Amino acid sequence: SAVISQKPSRDICQRGTSLTIQCQVDSQVTMMFWYRQQPGQSLTLIATANQGSEATYESGFVIDKFPISRPNLTFSTLTVSNMSPEDSSIYLCSVEDRGGSSQETQYFGPGTRLLVL
Amino acid sequence: DAKTTQPPSMDCAEGRAANLPCNHSTISGNEYVYWYRQIHSQGPQYIIHGLKNNETNEMASLIITEDRKSSTLILPHATLRDTAVYYCIVRGANSKLTFGKGITLSVRP
């Protein structure tokens, strides 16, 4: 299965600032996804990032707040803009990979723990 | 996308089998059931998936009922390290995974 890394692993930021999270995968993948997990909650999909096209955002998430880049098939970034304490969450990227299976499966990175003061 | 229903929590003794149930009564004929687990706020870990046949891998077994309206994840010999939140998900269109609250499995010594 794909091996995914995220940077930074955690950060503490001041409100009003922005943070860019990087997601790197060790193989070329078509579909990458960004999720948010607020404290004590389950994961919520923010957007789907496909190389060569604009990201597709889920309801409640907008590009101005969460701009995404996908410059190639192994890398993506998510920026959390103009942060407020409500943005304190774990941000996770995932990729879809077939691995040894006949069916595509999503594999997740370790997450970025963000605390906004 | 089909919704899943899981009990909020369960526990089992170390070394015993853990059977985690999931209902997905609105699943469509071509939708797969996926199981993930999340250990203490780490990234979710893929466990297993299936369509209609029972599946087994090195981590677990997945039993899907004949009508596909429910499934059970079986951890044959639970260890303390299996304590986690387990998510049963029906994979929807465009590869989307919709995470519910999951079931918290506590393995006791």
Side-chain angles (χ1 to χ4, degrees):
Chain A
S1 63
V3 177
I4 304 157
S5 59
Q6 288 186 231
K7 289 183 182 179
S9 59
R10 62 179 66 238
D11 207 342
I12 300 173
C13 300
Q14 297 298 318
R15 69 175 66 203
T17 63
S18 298
L19 176 72
T20 295
I21 302 167
Q22 299 178 6
C23 178
Q24 179 78 52
V25 60
D26 68 344
S27 60
Q28 294 186 340
V29 294
T30 301
M31 300 187 77
M32 297 181 79
F33 305 86
W34 286 98
Y35 291 80
R36 179 177 73 181
Q37 186 171 29
Q38 295 176 299
Q41 303 297 312
S42 188
L43 282 76
T44 302
L45 180 64
I46 297 172
T48 302
N50 293 330
Q51 196 266 338
S53 63
E54 295 280 334
T56 303
Y57 289 83
E58 297 300 304
S59 176
F61 298 96
V62 295
I63 188 171
D64 290 347
K65 176 67 176 176
F66 298 102
I68 288 171
S69 78
R70 181 79 199 274
N72 57 51
L73 292 174
T74 63
F75 187 78
S76 179
T77 66
L78 170 76
T79 299
V80 186
S81 303
N82 188 24
M83 288 183 286
S84 67
E86 291 71 35
D87 293 319
S88 298
S89 296
I90 301 173
Y91 291 86
L92 299 122
C93 73
S94 72
V95 305
E96 194 163 72
D97 188 30
R98 196 172 286 271
S101 169
S102 61
Q103 178 69 14
E104 301 280 2
T105 298
Q106 277 191 40
Y107 298 94
F108 286 81
T112 295
R113 286 149 187 77
L114 171 63
L115 176 63
V116 183
L117 302 177
Chain B
D1 297 342
K3 197 173 177 182
T4 63
T5 305
Q6 300 177 257
S9 63
M10 68 176 292
D11 64 8
C12 75
E14 189 176 20
R16 305 296 294 269
N19 297 295
L20 285 66
C22 180
N23 287 322
H24 31 79
S25 58
T26 61
I27 193 169
S28 299
N30 60 350
E31 290 180 321
Y32 281 74
V33 178
Y34 281 74
W35 283 82
Y36 287 80
R37 71 180 182 184
Q38 189 173 28
I39 298 173
H40 193 55
S41 296
Q42 298 176 18
Q45 178 187 21
Y46 163 76
I47 301 173
I48 200 168
H49 71 271
L51 182 62
K52 52 185 176 181
N53 297 323
N54 297 338
E55 302 288 345
T56 295
N57 62 21
E58 65 277 4
M59 290 183 68
S61 295
L62 175 61
I63 308 298
I64 302 174
T65 57
E66 194 168 338
D67 63 8
R68 303 216 318 126
K69 292 185 177 182
S70 64
S71 60
T72 301
L73 180 74
I74 301 172
L75 307 178
H77 305 286
T79 71
L80 298 179
R81 286 175 292 183
D82 291 323
T83 292
V85 179
Y86 288 77
Y87 297 99
C88 168
I89 302 166
V90 173
R91 183 172 177 264
N94 299 321
S95 304
K96 291 183 184 179
L97 298 180
T98 301
F99 284 78
K101 296 183 186 299
I103 178 172
T104 300
L105 173 66
S106 300
V107 180
R108 61 180 186 276

